[in-house]
Amino acid sequence: MTVLSFFGCTFIAFGPSVAMFALTVAPDAQQVIVFISSAFCWLLSLLATSLLWLGIQHVVGRLIIMVLISVLFQELFRFVLWKIVRRAEAGLIEMTNNHSPYRKLYFHYVAGLGFGFMSGLFAMVNILADTSGPGTLGLNGHDPNFAVISAFLTNCMILLNTFWGIVFFEGLDYRKWIHIIAVPVSHVLVSCLTLLNEQQIYWPALTVGYTLTVIFGLWSYLCVGGSIENLKRVFTARHTSTSLLDNN
């Protein structure tokens, strides 16, 4: 049972992001570099959060303060990552002689994916380590579905960070303040709702998290040049193809 739980939670938490990496990032060495750089930036945000928390934990011991500090540093290092990518992208494009306008957008997407993947890895690795041992359902008296719920939340945060990266970078590139403000505000909201998990109240974080995933997914789609008309055409084409197959 523990082996099934381990692999099930692993596939839920990291299946979509690993597939995205394998299909869209791994074939391109430059995108792999951006992915690793963004993951490293998230690690730096964790280090900064830890160092600050060591200094103030005796003064301010509430967990919500820790969450706010963590989000603050993550968004600060997301900004630093944007500065790095913006300085490097011109050289990376020249190296491949690929001047497609979508090349820069690929870097924004990969930066968000790397940022989110490292965040999800640190959020889930200890839980996965515990689920691989004997008798792990309901860790430390938690809900028996604790590991599965954590896997879904991890998947949600990875996808959100990917979309946040696209929206945030778009806002910084073109000084769109609604983009810049919406990302940290939604990040704070989702992170604070996860504090309810301690009381085994999981539905607010899951509901709001996946709702924001859909919203920011559509928002990032519009940021990269997508349109509602194109989206309608995709579903119309699928419906037409299905009808033709049924008729045949």
Side-chain angles (χ1 to χ4, degrees), residues 18-179:
V18 169
M20 291 161 68
F21 176 84
L23 295 174
T24 63
V25 179
D28 190 320
Q30 291 185 350
Q31 291 184 174
V32 173
I33 293 172
V34 174
F35 181 90
I36 295 172
S37 301
S38 63
F40 182 68
C41 278
W42 189 89
L43 288 175
L44 290 177
S45 75
L46 178 64
L47 176 62
T49 302
S50 302
L51 291 176
L52 181 60
W53 184 247
L54 285 174
I56 68 171
Q57 63 178 333
H58 300 295
V59 179
V60 182
R62 299 189 65 180
L63 186 57
I64 190 171
I65 303 299
M66 171 70 171
V67 171
L68 294 176
I69 291 173
S70 176
V71 172
L72 172 65
F73 276 113
Q74 286 183 57
E75 296 306 325
L76 176 62
F77 276 91
R78 199 192 303 275
F79 173 76
V80 172
L81 178 61
W82 169 75
K83 296 287 286 187
I84 295 172
V85 171
R86 191 173 188 188
R87 285 180 175 272
E89 64 189 14
L92 293 173
I93 290 172
E94 285 297 328
M95 286 175 61
T96 57
N97 199 26
N98 183 352
H99 297 279
S100 169
Y102 296 105
R103 186 65 175 168
K104 182 174 75 171
L105 298 175
Y106 261 109
F107 290 147
H108 293 178
Y109 152 73
V110 174
L113 181 62
F115 208 82
F117 188 82
M118 186 55 67
S119 170
L121 194 62
F122 265 76
M124 197 65 191
V125 66
N126 288 333
I127 297 174
L128 290 176
D130 287 337
T131 57
S132 62
T136 55
L137 285 179
L139 300 173
N140 298 324
H142 285 85
D143 189 284
N145 297 317
F146 172 74
V148 177
I149 292 170
S150 297
F152 275 108
L153 281 173
T154 299
N155 176 51
C156 175
M157 291 303 295
I158 294 174
L159 294 176
L160 272 175
N161 271 289
T162 303
F163 300 143
W164 282 336
I166 296 171
V167 173
F168 193 70
F169 284 18
E170 171 82 3
L172 291 172
D173 280 342
Y174 299 103
R175 300 296 188 268
K176 297 179 179 179
W177 292 105
I178 186 65
H179 293 62

Side-chain angles (χ1 to χ4, degrees), residues 178-192:
I178 186 65
H179 293 62
I180 298 171
I181 295 172
V183 171
V185 168
S186 58
H187 196 168
V188 168
L189 175 61
V190 176
S191 298
C192 289

